[in-house]
Amino acid sequence: MLLLITFAPIAAAVLIMLGLPARITALAASALTLLTTVLMFLGFNPVIPGFQFVTTLAISSELRVDFTLGVDGLSLLMILLGAILLLAAVWFTGEIEHHQNAFYACLLLIAGGAIGAFASLDLFFFYAFHELALIPTFLLIGIWGSGNRRAAAWKVTIYLALGSAILLVGLIMLYRAVPGSARSLDLRDLQAASAAGQIAPAIQSSIYLVLLIGFGILISLVPFHTWAPEAYASAPAPAAMLHAGLLKKFGLYGLLRLSLPLLPDGARHWSGLLIVLLLANIIYIGLVTIAQRRLDWMLGYSSVMHMGYIFLGIASGNVLGTTGAAILMFAHGLSIALLFGITGEIRKRVPSLDFDAMGGLAKQMPVAAFAFGLGVFAAIGLPGFANFAAEIMIVFGAFRNGFDYQHFHIFQWATLLALWGVVISAIYMLRAYRWTFFGSRVGVDSGISDLRFGFRFPIALLVAASILIGFFPQIAVQRITPTFRNYLTAKE
């Protein structure tokens, strides 16, 4: 089952490049991936400890490299996100004017690479699958993008290549930190070595810092964030949906999977630095987002801003906060993909995405206005959406970290400051919604059409998944918390 989920998109990409009909093949592979993932999600038993659906193919006994796939609650949720976003992105794509087969193949490779990274239990393939997903990202922006697409493609290439190189150094350092007899690329062996105290506390801080920088660049942590808004504004909408909604979560997943459980002393040592940087993501980038005057750039900066809340959950270091971080990764992926998908359709119908050149689109595009409004409400954390449930867990988890009932700790001050981000995000999201869809028309053709009827399915898929987790967060919580209880202590 897990092999099918991982390789169905990749195999479909190869078949499309060999000449099979692009859209039909991509839709079939995406639907198969989602259906199989849902079946795996329903068949996952949260009571059983460790990884499930484990599949191992021997590669090299001398190098101790095996192709091993498996899932626990954390990776299961991320794979489900990837399957949902892949089908939505492919559905939103439609007809491409030139090199259509290559476009669909790139989308499938991004999703297949991300899913493979989430499912891999071996460090080598964990890294290799992510690199597989990065290459088509550059191509989608540079060939099919808009605006100053070539400059954006080069910028994102340089930044993410640098982040990947630093990450590779950190992974090598982590591998070598374990004594020779216990040295392994298998995540399960590394977790056992860390639990046995075989990774010396003295070197954990240096390894954690390297991993934080590498993952931080891939996530757009301040000050390594400038590539993201320009890349998302220039990328085709389906590419922005998959990268902002899914592939960027690889860095956050890596921190939760590697840095926090394997390097607890390093995480504690650098928690103060991480708090400062995440607050910059929330407050500073939030204010920069308010200043944006284009819809696509506003969404790009908002994606960077919301990463700060996930970092806050990771920094909390307890089960409640990290569980909230994992659910917010899922929730943010759904909401930002919905917003980028609709923005891509608006781009096709209006001469400019400048707020000054838009207005009154709700009269011509009522379905788009309604769906975009749902995405806005989810993004600002309105109750009933998964974002709200996740942010509540993060706030309480972070606030309780180090609380002694007498003095405010750095986490309490950070949480109070981060709460202002809720106000900031409401300002820029609601204002952008008003400027785009309401008021008088400015430079907009009154004859533009609404979203096609077929687009209602991917919109309903994204919204339904967010509302389902929003009203029943225990669906995700029951599967995720056992993962973190293995190496974190819940603070009741």
Side-chain angles (χ1 to χ4, degrees):
M1 186 178 291
L2 197 52
L3 282 172
L4 177 61
I5 294 170
T6 303
F7 286 103
I10 298 175
V14 174
L15 293 175
I16 288 173
M17 293 305 296
L18 292 177
L20 262 65
R23 182 165 176 80
I24 296 176
T25 305
L27 283 173
S30 304
L32 177 62
T33 301
L34 179 57
L35 176 61
T36 311
T37 303
V38 171
L39 292 176
M40 186 175 67
F41 190 88
L42 296 175
F44 182 85
N45 189 348
V47 178
I48 300 176
F51 293 92
Q52 301 178 36
F53 303 99
V54 176
T55 302
T56 301
L57 301 176
I59 302 295
S60 173
S61 58
E62 295 180 358
L63 298 176
R64 298 182 183 179
V65 177
D66 294 320
F67 180 72
T68 306
L69 302 177
V71 295
D72 59 4
L74 174 61
S75 53
L76 180 66
L77 191 66
M78 292 299 100
I79 292 172
L80 178 61
L81 173 65
I84 293 173
L85 294 190
L86 173 60
L87 181 57
V90 168
W91 205 296
F92 262 106
T93 299
E95 295 295 325
I96 304 299
E97 294 182 0
H98 58 282
H99 308 301
Q100 176 170 278
N101 282 32
F103 188 98
Y104 276 98
C106 285
L107 292 182
L108 290 164
L109 288 175
I110 291 176
I115 291 173
F118 295 140
S120 293
L121 299 184
D122 185 275
L123 281 185
F124 175 81
F125 291 101
F126 169 80
Y127 182 83
F129 270 113
H130 176 256
E131 297 308 297
L132 172 66
L134 284 183
I135 298 172
T137 303
F138 312 143
L139 297 177
L140 285 169
I141 297 174
I143 299 175
W144 294 278
S146 59
N148 196 4
R149 65 180 189 276
R150 290 187 176 86
W154 276 110
K155 187 173 185 177
V156 72
T157 300
I158 293 172
Y159 265 89
L160 298 187
L162 176 62
S164 295
I166 296 174
L167 173 59
L168 180 59
V169 172
L171 294 178
I172 294 173
M173 292 172 64
L174 178 61
Y175 171 75
R176 293 180 59 84
V178 180
S181 60
R183 191 169 291 168
S184 173
L185 291 172
D186 194 298
L187 291 177
R188 296 165 295 180
D189 295 337
L190 290 173
Q191 290 176 355
S194 176
Q198 294 179 329
I199 302 179
I203 62 174
Q204 286 191 25
S205 62
S206 58
I207 300 175
Y208 182 89
L209 181 61
V210 175
L211 290 177
L212 179 62
I213 295 174
F215 284 130
I217 294 174
L218 301 178
I219 303 166
S220 66
L221 176 67
V222 171
F224 314 112
H225 65 283
T226 56
W227 64 268
E230 185 173 0
Y232 298 150
S234 302
M241 292 171 67
L242 284 177
H243 196 284
L246 179 64
L247 191 56
K248 188 193 283 190
K249 307 304 186 296
F250 168 80
L252 298 162
Y253 175 82
L255 290 173
L256 288 170
R257 175 65 70 205
L258 300 177
S259 303
L260 193 59
L262 303 182
L263 308 167
D265 293 295
R268 283 189 290 269
H269 180 80
W270 293 108
S271 61
L273 172 64
L274 182 57
I275 286 175
V276 172
L277 296 180
L278 69 87
L279 285 176
N281 267 75
I282 295 174
I283 304 301
Y284 168 67
I285 300 299
L287 295 175
V288 172
T289 309
I290 289 179
Q292 300 307 305
R293 290 296 179 266
R294 281 182 58 91
L295 180 60
D296 50 359
W297 278 83
M298 187 278 295
L299 291 178
Y301 273 106
S302 74
S303 178
V304 176
M305 183 262 194
H306 280 96
M307 295 301 100
Y309 286 106
I310 304 176
F311 275 114
L312 182 61
I314 295 173
S316 69
N318 55 48
V319 173
L320 182 61
T322 51
T323 300
I327 296 177
L328 187 55
M329 290 161 59
F330 179 82
H332 174 267
L334 298 174
S335 60
I336 198 65
L338 176 60
L339 293 173
F340 271 125
I342 297 175
T343 299
E345 292 301 310
I346 295 174
R347 189 197 300 271
K348 298 176 183 178
R349 292 163 168 78
V350 299
S352 173
L353 289 178
D354 290 341
F355 289 132
D356 294 337
M358 292 194 296
L361 288 179
K363 296 179 180 180
Q364 289 80 38
M365 305 179 68
V367 175
F370 177 71
F372 197 92
L374 292 176
V376 167
F377 296 150
I380 64 178
L382 195 72
F385 292 94
N387 306 62
F388 172 78
E391 290 174 4
I392 286 293
M393 286 186 278
I394 290 174
V395 168
F396 280 100
F399 194 85
R400 292 194 300 187
N401 189 309
F403 193 52
D404 61 5
Y405 297 98
Q406 293 180 356
H407 304 286
F408 261 33
H409 189 268
I410 184 174
F411 279 94
Q412 280 78 56
W413 288 113
T415 305
L416 291 178
L417 290 173
L419 286 174
W420 282 101
V422 177
V423 179
I424 293 173
S425 62
I427 291 174
Y428 63 67
M429 280 292 184
L430 293 175
R431 189 178 61 176
Y433 186 41
R434 183 193 67 188
W435 283 347
T436 303
F437 291 99
F438 300 99
S440 58
R441 293 192 301 272
V442 180
V444 176
D445 183 4
S446 60
I448 63 176
S449 59
D450 199 359
L451 298 180
R452 297 199 304 271
F453 181 82
F455 283 150
R456 298 184 183 186
F457 172 77
I459 290 173
L461 177 64
L462 296 171
V463 173
S466 181
I467 292 178
L468 178 65
I469 301 299
F471 276 93
F472 306 102
Q474 64 269 24
I475 295 175
V477 171
Q478 290 173 353
R479 291 166 171 79
I480 296 172
T481 49
T483 300
F484 297 119
R485 284 204 182 102
N486 291 331
Y487 49 83
L488 296 175
T489 301
K491 297 185 178 181
E492 303 296 342

